[in-house]
Amino acid sequence: MARNTPIRCYAKDAKDTSGPDPAKKPSPYSHTLMLPKTGFPLRADAARREKQFRDRCTDKLYKWQLENNPGEQFVLHDGPPYANGELHIGHFMNKVLKDIVNRYQVMQGKRVLYIPGFDGHGLPIEQKALATLKGRDRDSLDPMEIRTLARNFALKAVAKQTKGFREYAVMGDWDRPYLTLDPEYEANQLEIFKTMVARGYIYRQNKPVYWSPSSRTALAEAELEYNDEHVSTSVYVKFPLTNEAAARLGVNGDVSALIWTTTPWTLPANSAISVHPDLEYVLVNVATEGGSDLGSASSYNMLVGKGRLEKVVDLLPQGSSVEVLRNLKGSDLEGLTYNSLIRGKECKVMLAGYVTEDSGTGLVHSAPGHGKEDYEVGVANGIEVYSPVDDFGRFTSDAGAALVGKEVLGDGTSAVIDMLIDAGALLHRSEFKHSYPYDWRTKKPIIQRATPQWFANIQDLKNSAWDSVKGVKVIPESGRRRLKAFVTGRSEWCISRQRVWGVPIPVLYNERTGAPLLTEESIDHIAHVIKTNGGSDAWWTLPVEEFLLPEYRNNGEAYVRGSDTMDVWFDSGSSWRLLEARAEKREGAALADVYLEGSDQHRGWFQSSLLTSNAVRGVAPYRTLVTHGFTLDEQGRKMSKSIGNTLAPSLVIEGGKDKKKEPAYGVDLLRLLVGSTDYTQDVSFGPTVFANFGDTIRKIRSTVRFMLGNLNGFAPEQAVSYEQMQPMDRYMLHELLHFKKSAKLAFDSYEFFRAMQALNYFTNTTLSAFYFDISKDRLYANSQTDLSRRSVQTVLYHILVNYVTTLAPVTCHLAEEVWEFFRPVRTAEGQDKFSVFQESWDQTDEAWNNPELAEEWVALRKVRGLANRAIEAARQGKAIGSSLEAELDFYLPLDTKMGRLLKKYGKQVCITSRAGVHASSDFVDSGALSAQFTEQDSVAFGEETRIKVVCRHSPLHKCPRCWNFHSVEPEALCERCDGAIGSPGESLQVPNSK
């Protein structure tokens, strides 16, 4: 039987070895082997070791890249977190995602500008600051006492959060962050406000706004969250028509208009009943047997929508009968007068297009002081905007003695219902669960209440604002729909807040008339006074006269300063202005390349920034908009303090008291978790996830350690040219090139997790399971200067460079640590760089692209898989131990494409002591007594080719140096090792720069 040149095969098995095992007793030839040597540790010890590399890859690097990188400026604008507490895992995810973007751009040669921000104003900070007071009446504090408390609290939080963010290795201008409470920032904000005033976007009006009784301030839509478990009381109420109205309907007797409302507390403010002009209504007579909340009346007449009559009949007491007396159109009811009951005022029925028959009765209780649609129709009909509710959500004396002081969402509602029962006006009541708006800070329900507020007119701005987003890249694309819904779904933005910790709305009021003094000139003057007197505290400390222009100081009128502050979304939404001063000029274009925040910012910072930027500059402030999901625990629950499942990053990084239960994983593990996860969805964090990523880190370190160890003694000038490389090595460069292309596409698309998936696949499938194992024999047993060995080292060199630069934006400390050990090699090449981030991210060569060679090796790897099955069968059958004890024979049609390929490259495919390639017809089944193991399958290469693999124990002897079964005599060196010893190379340790 003809035998071909031996080829090798490797079976992937934890017990298998492909060369001498350094852990076992060394052979007398150990010193002649080129075994891997490196000081790079397998164990991370990250919590301690990472700190050694932090400065050079953060502060030092940030300054260097701004001064030295040759590319254009790249601006990722930071959305400012509230300076009101401890950092949590959500902060970590947000800042690290930004840092990954920035580090990748640095390695693309760009000059990254990243100015961290902090939101220092607003109710959350004010509330936290006041909570520090113990045993003191908070309501007795004057505005400056509150502001001083809030400022000090915010500045302490900024310092603490800054320390945390820097420990996360977030690179940026931490020495010059922006704070919304800084005087210069406040002046810029007032400048934006002035421009919006000049362009007619700002106005003041007494109209319903979202009001938080728990916070005692107006809220914007972005400050609401919805509670699906809220329970409300709904009531059906009979408003009695006047005698004149009854006569107009042709009824000689009492008639009522039946309304339905889910907010009974608004009934004291009832000012009208709305009907749709085109809907059909019926006048019915209801006969009852008594015993209901309606008293003992035996019959009554009422108006109800025809389409809702059946529902209303279901609510009547058992035994009631209903007779339709008359059919009417809504337009027939316009102008009918009725008694508003609790308010005791005669009101009218009016027409409104928003009325439907989807629910209720078709007749809508209208209180213009407590609802947007009611307000708009009411104003159009000249109806007073009336709201007898105070800042605490309690009825005022205007609501009557029976209601004054009662909470509208509590005992006030009960009192109103009792009054309806007493008046015989309540037809039905019920409780129901539904989605209701809550204050997102206090987690308590809000109301709608008319108060004089300042608004930004979005109606005239939203279309142009949305047009400017059309050229913005939005990731994920679904975020575009969310942003559109929030921008185009509103007509106004309530920008005034009834708190003292914030930027004042720069308006003075005529004490006699109440008219506001608000002009470009007056705002300019006020902004100047504030900026030159240490910031917005001046509004509360300086005399009013200081804020008046000279022409108003002696005009016979007295002025008082306003007490409202600006919505914090206006604060943070003005942050793009600082880029005009600190970034390179971009006339008529977005000032920032990227905004990246959580998905809740579509209604918050993304929107407020878009609106202010368009109002002033006419363009969107960002070129790319990226949103991430929320953080979850391992059970899939959203992390929250109320559940008690929040997670402090410091606990994961530094570990707990019991390091066995709460290990110290370091920063890079968390960074790798963030970078490896589809952040556009919600992301889970927890002990099991951390343990899994701990294994991933160990695998990466093992991979890098193998390359560093085998590059021991290698210098770049020893690199083998592409043309001199073996085919398998050229194939690996092809694989490296395409891995890098996949990773680049992922990073460019902000899909970092796909880059990490590509790296994980490259690590496990291409390197560990294939190239590393198949190359060990050449690396360990060939002489140091052997061309084949140098060929592998050259490939490992290119792999290591590109492997580490791919990892670097995500696991920056690990990348720097690797570079510390690899740096001497790079220095020898004349590249003495202090950081891996000074390297170009992509150091591949398009000349490595060789699809024809790749097609061949993909087929050969399939053959290798088939061979591994045969080897494993032999191992299980106790015929062999190590794969090196095996010899293989391949049987297939030799005239096929696959046959020619195996003849050409077969000896490079596997790790066994011998193998041969034969014609299918040469196969002889020697039976079970021969201790041979056979596997067969079809492999596609041009066409399907049937291959049979036979594995048996080699008849030759084990070489004591390389352990291959190539020796003719026991304990004798094989021919290759005999030659290698004749020209041994010295395995030198790469100098450790540490």
Side-chain angles (χ1 to χ4, degrees):
M1 183 183 298
R3 298 199 175 208
N4 201 355
T5 307
I7 64 175
R8 298 184 173 182
C9 189
Y10 169 68
K12 187 178 179 183
D13 187 286
K15 297 178 181 179
D16 189 26
T17 59
S18 56
D21 184 354
K24 294 183 178 181
K25 183 178 179 180
S27 77
Y29 300 103
S30 294
H31 69 284
T32 69
L33 295 170
M34 301 293 105
L35 297 177
K37 292 182 181 180
T38 179
F40 182 79
L42 185 59
R43 183 172 176 268
D45 194 14
R48 179 185 63 83
R49 192 175 288 122
E50 286 174 344
K51 297 172 184 177
Q52 302 173 26
F53 306 103
R54 187 158 299 150
D55 178 67
R56 80 183 194 193
C57 71
T58 53
D59 294 352
K60 186 177 180 180
L61 173 65
Y62 184 75
K63 294 173 184 175
W64 178 88
Q65 58 89 26
L66 278 176
E67 295 171 359
N68 295 280
N69 263 359
E72 64 183 7
Q73 189 178 74
F74 177 87
V75 180
L76 192 155
H77 186 40
D78 191 34
Y82 275 124
N84 71 329
E86 302 287 340
L87 296 179
H88 52 70
I89 204 72
H91 287 108
F92 184 95
M93 182 167 78
N94 176 268
K95 281 293 192 285
V96 166
L97 285 171
K98 295 172 182 175
D99 194 57
I100 292 172
V101 173
N102 284 336
R103 290 181 181 278
Y104 175 68
Q105 294 298 331
V106 166
M107 299 185 82
Q108 298 298 311
K110 295 181 182 178
R111 292 170 292 112
V112 168
L113 181 70
Y114 178 65
I115 306 169
F118 294 92
D119 203 337
H121 286 140
L123 185 62
I125 294 168
E126 184 177 329
Q127 288 177 329
K128 286 285 189 73
L130 291 174
T132 63
L133 298 176
K134 296 181 180 178
R136 242 186 118 179
D137 182 7
R138 300 173 189 175
D139 292 333
S140 67
L141 299 177
D142 65 37
M144 276 310 301
E145 288 179 303
I146 294 173
R147 287 179 63 85
T148 301
L149 275 171
R151 179 183 297 279
N152 291 339
F153 182 92
L155 290 176
K156 287 180 182 177
V158 167
K160 195 169 186 178
Q161 290 184 5
T162 297
K163 181 176 181 292
F165 289 141
R166 296 181 89 152
E167 288 174 352
Y168 304 160
V170 177
M171 178 189 66
D173 194 351
W174 292 105
D175 294 331
R176 296 177 61 210
Y178 77 87
L179 277 65
T180 61
L181 55 74
D182 281 345
E184 184 177 354
Y185 187 97
E186 293 175 334
N188 285 333
Q189 182 175 331
L190 291 174
E191 183 71 22
I192 291 173
F193 180 80
K194 181 192 76 172
T195 303
M196 293 181 69
V197 168
R199 294 179 179 177
Y201 290 120
I202 305 298
Y203 64 95
R204 185 173 188 256
Q205 205 157 3
N206 179 33
K207 62 193 301 184
V209 294
Y210 296 117
W211 184 270
S212 172
S214 54
S215 296
R216 302 203 301 276
T217 185
L219 299 177
E221 228 172 310
E223 297 170 296
L224 306 179
E225 63 182 20
Y226 285 82
N227 182 351
D228 294 333
E229 300 298 315
H230 184 82
V231 176
S232 291
T233 300
S234 69
V235 292
Y236 289 80
V237 179
K238 290 173 51 181
F239 279 124
L241 269 59
T242 61
N243 291 336
E244 293 80 4
R248 181 174 148 188
L249 294 175
V251 177
N252 185 15
D254 296 338
V255 180
S256 297
L258 185 67
I259 65 93
W260 173 75
T261 181
T262 61
T263 54
W265 62 269
T266 62
L267 289 170
N270 175 264
S271 300
I273 292 175
S274 296
V275 297
H276 195 287
D278 299 327
L279 287 182
E280 293 185 340
Y281 294 84
V282 289
L283 174 64
V284 298
N285 176 261
V286 179
T288 70
E289 298 178 352
S292 72
D293 287 336
L294 293 167
S296 58
S298 58
S299 70
Y300 54 89
N301 302 313
M302 66 180 183
L303 284 169
V304 66
K306 186 176 183 180
R308 301 301 298 171
L309 179 60
E310 185 177 345
K311 172 64 176 177
V312 170
V313 170
D314 291 341
L315 303 175
L316 297 174
Q318 190 173 0
S320 300
S321 61
V322 176
E323 179 186 1
V324 175
L325 303 178
R326 187 175 174 186
N327 290 281
L328 304 111
K329 280 279 193 182
S331 55
D332 298 329
L333 307 181
E334 183 180 16
L336 292 179
T337 53
Y338 69 96
N339 187 314
S340 65
L341 293 175
I342 297 174
R343 191 176 180 190
K345 181 181 179 181
E346 185 176 292
C347 301
K348 291 183 178 181
V349 175
M350 60 183 182
L351 303 180
Y354 68 85
V355 178
T356 71
E357 287 185 323
D358 295 339
S359 60
T361 66
L363 294 96
V364 177
H365 145 62
S366 183
H370 293 292
K372 178 182 176 182
E373 291 174 324
D374 292 357
Y375 169 82
E376 292 172 350
V377 175
V379 169
N381 284 271
I383 297 175
E384 174 193 9
V385 178
Y386 174 68
S387 175
V389 180
D390 66 14
D391 292 355
F392 293 87
R394 299 167 183 161
F395 283 118
T396 65
S397 57
D398 290 342
L403 296 175
V404 64
K406 296 184 184 297
E407 293 185 359
V408 299
L409 293 178
D411 55 352
T413 291
S414 300
V416 168
I417 292 174
D418 288 342
M419 294 174 73
L420 295 174
I421 293 173
D422 292 342
L426 183 66
L427 176 70
H428 181 78
R429 65 175 169 182
S430 63
E431 292 186 342
F432 69 105
K433 187 184 295 184
H434 66 127
S435 183
Y436 190 86
Y438 274 53
D439 183 331
W440 73 330
R441 299 185 186 99
T442 64
K443 311 301 181 184
K444 294 183 178 180
I446 60 96
I447 60 175
Q448 288 195 60
R449 171 189 176 227
T451 57
Q453 300 288 343
W454 288 94
F455 297 88
N457 182 0
I458 307 302
Q459 189 65 43
D460 297 337
L461 183 59
K462 62 185 181 183
N463 289 334
S464 62
W466 182 244
D467 284 343
S468 72
V469 178
K470 292 178 180 177
V472 172
K473 183 178 182 180
V474 181
I475 301 169
E477 183 61 29
S478 58
R480 192 183 302 275
R481 295 191 298 272
R482 281 178 55 84
L483 183 60
K484 181 178 182 180
F486 287 117
V487 172
T488 62
R490 65 193 300 198
S491 59
E492 62 192 17
W493 171 12
C494 179
I495 61 170
S496 52
R497 296 293 180 271
Q498 288 63 55
R499 310 303 299 181
V500 298
W501 181 230
V503 177
I505 292 182
V507 60
L508 299 168
Y509 296 94
N510 186 301
E511 193 172 40
R512 177 177 59 84
T513 66
L517 174 58
L518 188 70
T519 66
E520 289 184 70
E521 295 75 18
S522 71
I523 298 172
D524 264 339
H525 178 71
I526 291 171
H528 175 74
V529 172
I530 286 176
K531 186 176 181 179
T532 56
N533 284 274
S536 57
D537 281 353
W539 185 254
W540 282 268
T541 58
L542 295 179
V544 173
E545 290 72 25
E546 293 286 337
F547 298 103
L548 281 169
L549 288 164
E551 59 264 35
Y552 291 99
R553 292 178 184 175
N554 298 298
N555 66 350
E557 299 286 353
Y559 292 87
V560 296
R561 79 194 89 209
S563 59
D564 293 337
T565 54
M566 288 192 198
D567 176 15
V568 289
W569 291 118
F570 200 102
D571 286 22
S572 60
S574 303
S575 61
W576 52 263
R577 189 62 183 263
L578 75 94
L579 298 178
E580 291 185 321
R582 294 179 63 176
E584 295 175 356
K585 301 300 180 185
R586 296 183 180 182
E587 295 297 333
L591 295 171
D593 292 284
V594 176
Y595 274 37
L596 189 158
E597 301 297 334
S599 57
D600 56 336
Q601 296 307 313
H602 290 113
R603 66 175 185 174
W605 188 58
F606 292 160
Q607 181 184 189
S608 64
S609 300
L610 176 66
L611 294 173
T612 56
S613 178
N614 269 274
V616 176
R617 300 185 71 242
V619 295
Y622 33 71
R623 292 177 177 174
T624 300
L625 198 61
V626 184
T627 55
H628 62 76
F630 295 105
T631 56
L632 309 175
D633 64 16
E634 289 185 331
Q635 284 71 49
R637 299 173 301 176
K638 183 179 176 181
M639 289 187 177
S640 68
K641 291 181 180 178
S642 59
I643 298 177
N645 64 343
T646 56
L647 181 67
S650 58
L651 183 64
V652 184
I653 295 167
E654 300 292 341
K657 293 181 179 179
D658 187 343
K659 292 295 190 290
K660 290 185 178 180
K661 291 183 179 179
E662 296 174 324
Y665 286 112
V667 174
D668 273 0
L669 180 137
L670 275 179
R671 289 180 64 101
L672 182 61
L673 192 163
V674 170
S676 301
T677 308
D678 183 358
Y679 62 83
T680 63
Q681 307 296 317
D682 293 340
V683 180
S684 294
F685 294 81
T688 304
V689 180
F690 302 149
N692 290 338
F693 275 93
D695 292 339
T696 303
I697 289 281
R698 280 188 289 276
K699 180 64 178 176
I700 290 171
R701 294 186 71 88
S702 176
T703 301
V704 167
R705 192 167 185 264
F706 178 89
M707 289 189 278
L708 286 171
N710 283 289
L711 285 170
N712 175 51
F714 177 80
E717 60 268 19
Q718 297 169 337
V720 175
S721 69
Y722 183 78
E723 293 75 17
Q724 289 180 298
M725 287 182 177
Q726 291 195 9
M728 179 175 64
D729 299 328
R730 294 201 301 271
Y731 163 64
M732 280 310 303
L733 290 180
H734 172 92
E735 287 289 302
L736 175 62
L737 172 67
H738 285 273
F739 152 67
K740 201 68 174 184
K741 284 184 174 182
S742 297
K744 186 178 190 307
L745 180 63
F747 272 106
D748 287 342
S749 303
Y750 299 88
E751 294 180 302
F752 322 122
F753 68 98
R754 295 197 188 280
M756 293 301 100
Q757 286 173 354
L759 183 133
N760 188 52
Y761 181 84
F762 188 65
T763 299
N764 294 324
T765 305
T766 307
L767 297 182
S768 179
F770 176 64
Y771 190 63
F772 287 178
D773 281 302
I774 211 169
S775 301
K776 285 177 183 176
D777 187 64
R778 282 192 284 165
L779 286 168
Y780 299 171
N782 287 11
S783 67
Q784 185 174 15
T785 58
D786 178 75
L787 183 65
S788 175
R789 184 173 187 272
R790 289 294 190 214
S791 179
V792 181
Q793 286 184 304
T794 303
V795 172
L796 291 180
Y797 178 86
H798 290 306
I799 291 174
L800 182 58
V801 171
N802 286 282
Y803 190 89
V804 177
T805 55
T806 303
L807 271 174
V810 181
T811 56
C812 52
H813 302 97
L814 174 56
E816 290 288 6
E817 184 184 1
V818 174
W819 221 245
E820 186 77 4
F821 286 89
F822 192 45
R823 189 176 170 193
V825 179
R826 301 293 282 177
T827 303
E829 198 179 4
Q831 300 187 45
D832 189 11
K833 299 175 180 178
F834 67 81
S835 171
V836 65
F837 290 95
Q838 295 172 292
E839 294 285 341
S840 172
W841 186 84
D842 186 358
Q843 298 189 36
T844 58
D845 190 332
E846 193 61 36
W848 298 346
N849 187 40
N850 194 332
E852 290 183 2
L853 181 66
E855 184 184 11
E856 292 177 345
W857 276 90
V858 167
L860 288 169
R861 288 175 70 175
K862 292 177 182 177
V863 173
R864 184 170 185 263
L866 178 61
N868 285 344
R869 283 159 47 189
I871 293 171
E872 183 59 27
R875 182 183 289 111
Q876 294 296 323
K878 308 298 183 183
I880 62 170
S882 163
S883 65
L884 293 176
E885 299 176 28
E887 65 175 28
L888 298 176
D889 287 291
F890 293 89
Y891 296 90
L892 73 164
L894 296 179
D895 58 348
T896 61
K897 192 175 179 182
M898 187 75 245
R900 290 189 292 272
L901 182 66
L902 265 181
K903 294 280 283 184
K904 182 179 180 182
Y905 293 137
K907 64 180 181 179
Q908 300 182 41
V909 175
C910 304
I911 303 174
T912 55
S913 288
R914 188 206 63 79
V917 179
H918 318 280
S920 301
S921 58
D922 291 343
F923 175 73
V924 177
D925 189 351
S926 58
L929 295 178
S930 67
Q932 69 177 28
F933 297 84
T934 303
E935 291 286 336
Q936 56 184 329
D937 206 343
S938 294
V939 176
F941 181 57
E943 68 273 353
E944 290 283 336
T945 304
R946 194 72 177 171
I947 303 176
K948 189 172 293 186
V949 184
V950 176
C951 176
R952 64 177 64 85
H953 196 287
S954 172
L956 297 177
H957 299 281
K958 178 179 177 180
C959 172
R961 180 174 182 269
C962 70
W963 294 11
N964 285 290
F965 280 66
H966 287 170
S967 300
V968 178
E969 300 292 336
E971 299 302 318
L973 292 176
C974 67
E975 183 178 348
R976 187 268 307 267
C977 287
D978 190 50
I981 288 180
S983 55
E986 190 176 1
S987 182
L988 298 176
Q989 172 76 44
V990 175
N992 187 341
S993 61
K994 294 196 294 183

